[in-house]
Amino acid sequence: WSLGQPTSFLEAAVRDARTAVGASPPALWLGTLAYLIAVEQIGKTLCLRKAPHGPASGDKASFLAACNDFGDSAHSEPDHRRLYDVRCALAHKFGLTGNNQQFVYTRSDTAPLLDATTTPGKTRVNLVALWKYVDDMVAGIRVLHALATSRS
């Protein structure tokens, strides 16, 4: 990317999120929020041909549609809803609470994306896994786009 060159919202959002979390010192809150906003924007602008819906409208519906259509299938609808709650907590309450939940943020290469079982009333959110979840979503979208482009 260079100044003055056109770029998509997705490229800009992911680039800026990676820049924020990779800075010294890292801007974890800002970068993580950018990643989650990218998920929402994916749901507002993209959908699979086989999906029974077009791009979603509304923040929550858009976020959930992106997770369902493009997210790692190892994560379920309750995980998607919890991730949306994390997005809202970061955007509106600086990340501490959301939808009557408390969030504890960790950075681990091995911990799961979400863990609501370790501490009652609290959900552990692994930022490294969250960033990977979104990066993998974007990579999958790129593969789908390349396949569709090569067939046309």
Side-chain angles (χ1 to χ4, degrees):
W1 179 83
S2 62
L3 191 60
Q5 295 297 315
T7 189
S8 74
F9 79 88
L10 187 54
E11 294 297 331
V14 172
R15 177 201 64 223
D16 291 353
R18 286 182 187 137
T19 299
V21 300
S24 182
L28 301 178
W29 171 80
L30 185 61
T32 302
L33 182 57
Y35 269 114
L36 293 170
I37 290 170
V39 173
E40 183 180 310
Q41 292 304 308
I42 288 167
K44 287 184 178 187
T45 57
L46 302 173
C47 68
L48 296 173
R49 273 193 189 157
K50 67 178 181 163
H53 58 80
S57 63
D59 298 343
K60 186 173 189 175
S62 299
F63 189 95
L64 297 175
C67 290
N68 288 325
D69 287 353
F70 303 108
D72 183 343
S73 62
H75 298 286
S76 63
E77 183 74 19
D79 293 335
H80 302 160
R81 291 181 183 284
R82 190 160 284 139
L83 282 174
Y84 181 75
D85 292 340
V86 170
R87 171 245 178 252
C88 291
L90 288 171
H92 304 296
K93 296 187 179 189
F94 210 66
L96 303 176
T97 62
N99 200 16
N100 297 319
Q101 300 177 66
Q102 287 186 322
F103 298 109
V104 177
Y105 299 93
T106 64
R107 290 172 61 188
S108 168
D109 291 331
T110 58
L113 172 59
L114 298 166
D115 179 1
T117 62
T118 304
T119 309
K122 295 183 180 177
T123 298
R124 287 190 171 285
V125 181
N126 180 359
L127 298 179
V128 173
L130 190 152
W131 305 332
K132 182 178 181 332
Y133 176 81
V134 180
D135 280 335
D136 289 350
M137 182 184 292
V138 171
I141 290 168
R142 286 186 181 122
V143 168
L144 290 171
H145 179 261
L147 288 171
T149 302
S150 70
R151 291 183 184 158
S152 49

